[in-house]
Amino acid sequence: MLKIKNLCKSFGEKKAVDNVSIEIANGEIYGFIGHNGAGKTTTIKACTGIMPFDSGEIEIDGVSIKDKPILCKSKIAYIPDNPDLYEFMTGNQYINFVADIFSVPTETRKKITKKIADVFELSQDLDKSISSYSHGMKQKLAVISAWIHSPKLIIMDEPFVGLDPKASHSLKLMMREFCDNGGSIFFSTHVLEVAEKLCDKVAIIKNGQIVASGKMQDVKGDKSLEKVFLDLEDGEKNV
Amino acid sequence: MFKALLKKQLLEINSNFFRNNKTGTRRSKKSGIMLICFFAFVCFYLGFIFFQMANGLCSSLFEANLGWFYFAMMFTLAIMMGVVGSVFNTYNSVYQAKDNDLLFSMPIPSKFILLARTVGVYIMGLFYCSLITIPTIIAYCMYSKATFLGVVFSIITAIIISFIVLILSLTLGYLVAKITSKMKNKTLFVVVLSVVFMVLYIYFVSISNNFISSIITNGGEVANKVKIFAFPLYAIGQSCIGNILCLLGVLFATILIMLLVYYLLWKSFFNLSINHSNQTAISRKTTLVQQNISLSLIKKEAKRLFSSSTYLLNSAIGALMSVIAVIFLFIQQQTISSLSSMLYEGLSSLLVLAVMLIFGSMNTISASSISIEGKSFWILKSLPIKPIKILHAKTNLHILITLPFTLLVGICSSIALKLSVINAIIVCIVGAVAVVGFALLGVLSNLRHPNLNWVNEIAVVKQGLPVFVSMFGSWLFIGILAGLYFAFASIITATTYLYIVSALIISITALEYYLLRTVGVKQFEKLC
């Protein structure tokens, strides 16, 4: 579903992403972990077509995002690390806007919105202005608008930040259900316990380079993901 | 601590000169100097207009021994200019700044935060009123027997005037914040209030010519009335010509009122600012219904424009000015009709076109339409829409808001100047094409100089370089067209010139559209 091949992106002299390659198949939840400034968000933004990259290739469902960005974007949904949504709209207006862009029929958008808003207990607030929403409410709205057009791939940057425990739990269930139905998810997180329990595959990025990747069991072995991650971090310090 | 706050405030105001908002890096010296030169040119131009006005009053009033009245009149105009210029952003920059929450969470006394914001308001007010006070003092030095004491006292009074502007701006900003804190539809209130202010200002400016004439012919009588009914103005005038008692009186009164206003604002600053950052949730019932993509995009643009009084007032001012122009045409129809009999049909057509171009270029909606996306720009970038569709939506909203008003001005002017139907149609079509051109120029200049990292939207809708380029660039273009006509008037007829200008406008608009589809789309794709 998502194929990143030798991705490179620099900001001036600094190499933010250096030769990153990742492959995500249908039905997989792929975790992306790394310290702050490691290159997670840059990689994610490149995958969503928001940020141009220097070299390498990104394919979504076999289509190059460089060659056909619109087609690729129509297959994905993106939730950024900080949900800066249109504060001048109400929740429903925002959902309508996103659904219009993806040409989601009226009945489908109503059905999906009701289902997820009920799960997140957001139904009562959808007619309120987004400017009055808390961070968590904005995150929930971003999730609804990501699911509204039934994408094939969902890319999320720190999706659990700001969510209450109940909403976090609901989102994890939704993610699993989405992938069980053939979708794929690529998400970054700092919550290693969540990644360990939820992900089928994981990649650890450090200073722009992938230092470990593969099936969760292969990456962590007998240790916890946290231990593996910390060992990799310490490795650099020892060197 | 205060120094750091002040530095941040000044950086916010001056960021356009020293920082490239697109790359976040420091501007090159050359680019910074060019910008400053351009800015200085505009200031000089505006200052020159007021110098001419001061020049008209100065010698006659000083000859009549009414020097104080000269200063009282000009400095009152400076106060009006300063207040109208800065009052629109006082409310936003003091009470609605996006970093209010962040600053309140830090161990900074609220009086320091307010003081730093006040400095920002003061600088804006000082800038606007200096456009009049400086030419006034220069005219005084040049056209009257200025004394050393008079010059020094008038400079001191000019400085005091800038603080009077600050007092009025802060008070009005406070009143707006206080009233709107209990209102549901804040945008509407701020828009109505600002429009009332602007109309009053335009009214005073429009009657100023008659007023100046009456002052010159009947100065003594008017001065006596001012002395009786507006004593503070008399005191201001007297302090400029060397009356130390009046100077001290004005100074102490200003300091006292300033301290009082500052105390009042400081006491309520935290509550009013927090009230504005935690806006009451307004419920608006929306049904989930499918719509056409283009319609949805343009509705989104419209919602953004009408949700912010700052954006609306600063970017769609041309619409209001057009309405005022139409009212003016209606009131002065007899004078204009008599003027039309003195003009050739071709020249009248050119005049109507010039009026349409001036009013059509006053709206700058598209010039901040990219930057206004700010941190939510990622939404447009992540959606499966061709960039050109997004750029079309931004251009189209500008056209939808501007075109009806520009056409109204065009049609009314054509009727007033008795243009033939054919010429009126040609002029209106060319004027409409020019509106499209102005909208495209706005989007193109905003794509060239975007600022997606603003803290206060004033930075993009009022102080942004694209707005400046779009409005003054258009006016420069109109000025060049007018200059060329007068240069070649002896060898070319007005009708022929009208056709040449029409062809030029259509060609430039077509070129702009081509640039939008090619360079513009590429620049949009690079933005992130």
Side-chain angles (χ1 to χ4, degrees):
Chain A
M1 175 53 62
L2 173 66
K3 202 171 176 182
I4 306 171
K5 220 159 78 184
N6 306 323
L7 180 71
C8 291
K9 170 76 186 173
S10 297
F11 295 106
E13 294 291 300
K14 191 184 183 312
K15 273 194 168 180
V17 177
D18 188 7
N19 217 26
V20 163
S21 295
I22 289 170
E23 207 166 317
I24 303 169
N26 288 348
E28 277 180 357
I29 300 183
Y30 203 110
F32 197 35
I33 57 178
H35 59 82
N36 293 329
K40 300 188 296 293
T41 300
T42 306
T43 307
I44 280 176
K45 282 187 173 174
C47 292
T48 56
I50 290 178
M51 187 180 277
F53 46 92
D54 303 333
S55 62
E57 187 56 79
I58 296 174
E59 283 178 10
I60 288 160
D61 206 12
V63 182
S64 163
I65 197 147
K66 254 187 180 168
D67 299 338
K68 292 186 174 171
I70 306 297
L71 183 60
C72 287
K73 286 176 187 178
S74 68
K75 292 169 191 249
I76 64 174
Y78 167 57
I79 301 174
D81 52 348
N82 202 350
D84 290 304
L85 309 177
Y86 293 136
E87 305 229 331
F88 53 91
M89 289 184 176
T90 64
N92 268 333
Q93 284 174 340
Y94 181 71
I95 293 168
N96 249 338
F97 172 70
V98 176
D100 283 342
I101 301 298
F102 285 94
S103 304
V104 180
T106 302
E107 283 313 308
T108 314
R109 69 178 76 180
K110 278 184 180 169
K111 204 173 116 191
I112 296 173
T113 303
K114 188 177 179 337
K115 186 184 160 193
I116 306 175
D118 284 349
V119 169
F120 283 146
E121 296 170 350
L122 195 69
S123 304
Q124 299 301 313
D125 300 305
L126 286 176
D127 280 324
K128 286 179 185 162
S129 168
I130 295 175
S131 61
S132 68
Y133 282 19
S134 67
H135 182 98
M137 287 162 85
K138 286 181 191 169
Q139 192 74 3
K140 288 172 185 174
L141 184 62
V143 170
I144 297 174
S145 54
W147 255 257
I148 198 82
H149 60 98
S150 311
K152 287 186 172 180
L153 169 70
I154 298 177
I155 300 174
M156 298 187 275
D157 200 352
E158 300 285 351
F160 300 104
V161 174
L163 290 182
D164 56 68
K166 195 179 168 195
S168 284
H169 178 72
S170 303
L171 179 59
K172 280 181 241 169
L173 291 178
M174 282 168 62
M175 287 165 73
R176 190 71 267 170
E177 189 193 358
F178 177 77
C179 291
D180 288 345
N181 291 330
S184 308
I185 288 176
F186 180 45
F187 78 106
S188 74
T189 184
H190 286 299
V191 191
L192 300 182
E193 292 83 1
V194 171
E196 192 171 347
K197 283 179 191 162
L198 195 62
C199 298
D200 303 308
K201 282 183 179 172
V202 68
I204 301 173
I205 187 169
K206 191 176 169 184
N207 299 327
Q209 292 180 323
I210 299 290
V211 287
S213 68
K215 285 185 178 170
M216 180 61 77
Q217 202 51 49
D218 296 342
V219 170
K220 72 183 184 84
D222 296 334
K223 296 186 261 181
S224 69
L225 186 61
E226 186 180 32
K227 179 87 174 94
V228 174
F229 181 74
L230 291 175
D231 284 349
L232 284 165
E233 284 291 307
D234 287 344
E236 168 126 320
K237 279 178 194 162
N238 294 337
V239 172
Chain B
M1 184 192 286
F2 178 68
K3 205 175 154 188
L5 272 177
L6 195 60
K7 200 174 162 190
K8 178 209 78 83
Q9 201 69 32
L10 295 177
L11 267 176
E12 208 176 304
I13 296 170
N14 296 322
S15 61
N16 266 329
F17 290 124
F18 303 111
R19 199 166 53 89
N20 186 330
N21 289 315
K22 188 161 60 174
T23 59
T25 55
R26 238 184 122 76
R27 276 189 193 283
S28 68
K29 265 188 184 173
K30 193 179 154 193
S31 141
I33 289 169
M34 272 176 67
L35 260 177
I36 290 169
C37 287
F38 184 54
F39 189 68
F41 168 75
V42 174
C43 293
F44 181 79
Y45 176 71
L46 291 172
F48 182 73
I49 293 171
F50 289 110
F51 175 75
Q52 293 289 86
M53 187 188 274
N55 182 14
L57 280 173
C58 187
S59 47
S60 59
L61 286 176
F62 269 90
E63 272 170 27
N65 207 20
L66 287 171
W68 70 267
F69 190 47
Y70 160 73
F71 280 109
M73 288 298 99
M74 290 308 291
F75 282 8
T76 305
L77 198 63
I79 292 172
M80 280 169 65
M81 178 84 170
V83 173
V84 171
S86 59
V87 73
F88 296 137
N89 64 35
T90 305
Y91 163 65
N92 287 291
S93 62
V94 174
Y95 297 102
Q96 289 203 310
K98 274 196 170 181
D99 58 350
N100 267 346
D101 286 0
L102 174 73
L103 295 179
F104 279 129
S105 71
M106 292 177 175
I108 311 169
S110 59
K111 63 181 174 189
F112 283 174
I113 302 173
L114 177 64
L115 193 60
R117 300 244 188 273
T118 305
V119 171
V121 175
Y122 175 73
I123 290 171
M124 288 299 287
L126 177 70
F127 164 72
Y128 284 111
C129 72
S130 297
L131 291 173
I132 300 181
T133 53
I134 294 173
T136 302
I137 297 170
I138 293 173
Y140 165 59
C141 295
M142 287 172 70
Y143 302 109
S144 73
K145 288 167 188 164
T147 59
F148 176 72
L149 202 66
V151 175
V152 172
F153 274 41
S154 58
I155 291 171
I156 295 171
T157 314
I159 295 167
I160 298 172
I161 289 294
S162 63
F163 283 96
I164 295 175
V165 168
L166 177 66
I167 290 169
L168 291 171
S169 299
L170 287 178
T171 310
L172 287 167
Y174 165 78
L175 288 175
V176 172
K178 189 83 183 162
I179 295 167
T180 54
S181 66
K182 291 185 176 69
M183 286 185 82
K184 278 194 171 178
N185 201 338
K186 293 173 178 123
T187 306
L188 183 69
F189 174 77
V190 177
V191 168
V192 170
L193 190 75
S194 308
V195 166
V196 168
F197 253 91
M198 206 162 290
V199 169
L200 281 176
Y201 180 74
I202 292 163
Y203 172 73
F204 282 119
V205 170
S206 66
I207 62 164
S208 63
N209 271 343
N210 290 339
F211 188 61
I212 288 169
S213 310
S214 74
I215 288 169
I216 291 169
T217 53
N218 203 11
E221 200 179 314
V222 182
N224 268 336
K225 279 185 183 165
V226 169
K227 194 174 164 182
I228 297 164
F229 298 109
F231 186 78
L233 295 183
Y234 171 72
I236 286 172
Q238 279 291 338
S239 61
C240 288
I241 56 164
N243 186 330
I244 189 139
L245 276 178
C246 283
L247 180 74
L248 290 175
V250 171
L251 179 67
F252 286 124
T254 307
I255 292 172
L256 197 71
I257 299 170
M258 182 72 235
L259 290 174
L260 205 72
V261 166
Y262 189 79
Y263 178 77
L264 182 74
L265 260 66
W266 170 47
K267 282 289 167 192
S268 58
F269 180 53
F270 181 77
N271 283 337
L272 283 175
S273 303
I274 292 300
N275 185 302
H276 280 264
S277 53
N278 299 322
Q279 288 178 4
T280 332
I282 302 165
S283 232
R284 272 170 287 172
K285 191 82 191 146
T286 315
T287 319
L288 294 171
V289 186
Q290 189 176 359
Q291 274 176 346
N292 170 283
I293 295 176
S294 300
L295 183 66
S296 198
L297 278 172
I298 204 159
K299 275 176 85 174
K300 176 234 147 206
E301 294 296 327
K303 272 184 198 130
R304 181 67 183 93
L305 177 70
F306 290 104
S307 70
S308 159
S309 55
T310 313
Y311 188 20
L312 187 62
L313 279 167
N314 285 288
S315 307
I317 194 73
L320 175 69
M321 301 303 272
S322 303
V323 173
I324 293 169
V326 169
I327 294 169
F328 176 80
L329 281 172
F330 185 72
I331 295 168
Q332 301 284 339
Q333 57 178 320
Q334 282 193 329
T335 319
I336 294 164
S337 293
S338 60
L339 180 76
S340 71
S341 57
M342 292 154 62
L343 297 171
Y344 299 113
E345 168 88 12
L347 192 55
S348 299
S349 306
L350 274 178
L351 205 60
V352 173
L353 182 60
V355 170
M356 282 184 82
L357 295 184
I358 289 167
F359 285 97
S361 61
M362 278 183 188
N363 278 356
T364 55
I365 301 163
S366 64
S368 46
S369 60
I370 304 284
S371 298
I372 202 78
E373 296 285 340
K375 298 255 188 289
S376 52
F377 187 64
W378 68 270
I379 299 173
L380 290 181
K381 286 284 285 187
S382 66
L383 293 174
I385 329 164
K386 284 182 178 170
I388 191 68
K389 265 196 171 179
I390 297 167
L391 300 177
H392 274 161
K394 292 182 181 299
T395 316
N396 289 344
L397 181 75
H398 183 115
I399 297 167
L400 274 175
I401 303 279
T402 314
L403 193 57
F405 292 97
T406 311
L407 282 177
L408 185 71
V409 170
I411 292 166
C412 292
S413 311
S414 302
I415 294 168
L417 285 172
K418 294 173 184 164
L419 256 61
S420 67
V421 177
I422 297 289
N423 270 9
I425 290 172
I426 291 173
V427 167
C428 285
I429 289 173
V430 177
V433 173
V435 167
V436 176
F438 295 142
L440 290 167
L441 174 68
V443 176
L444 283 169
S445 56
N446 201 187
L447 283 166
R448 184 86 183 85
H449 301 283
N451 173 9
L452 298 170
N453 301 311
W454 47 268
V455 177
N456 192 319
E457 60 187 10
I458 285 175
V460 291
V461 300
K462 189 165 185 155
Q463 298 160 350
L465 183 65
V467 173
F468 203 67
V469 169
S470 167
M471 188 184 273
F472 289 102
S474 306
W475 287 356
L476 186 70
F477 173 67
I478 299 164
I480 291 171
L481 288 182
L484 285 174
Y485 171 71
F486 289 114
F488 296 103
S490 55
I491 53 167
I492 202 166
T493 66
T495 309
T496 312
Y497 192 69
L498 174 70
Y499 294 144
I500 293 170
V501 167
S502 304
L504 188 69
I505 288 173
I506 292 166
S507 310
I508 291 174
T509 306
L511 177 69
E512 280 180 321
Y513 186 62
Y514 171 75
L515 287 174
L516 187 80
R517 294 194 72 96
T518 51
V519 183
V521 165
K522 273 185 190 157
Q523 279 174 330
F524 183 87
E525 281 167 351
K526 276 184 199 164
L527 276 176
C528 52

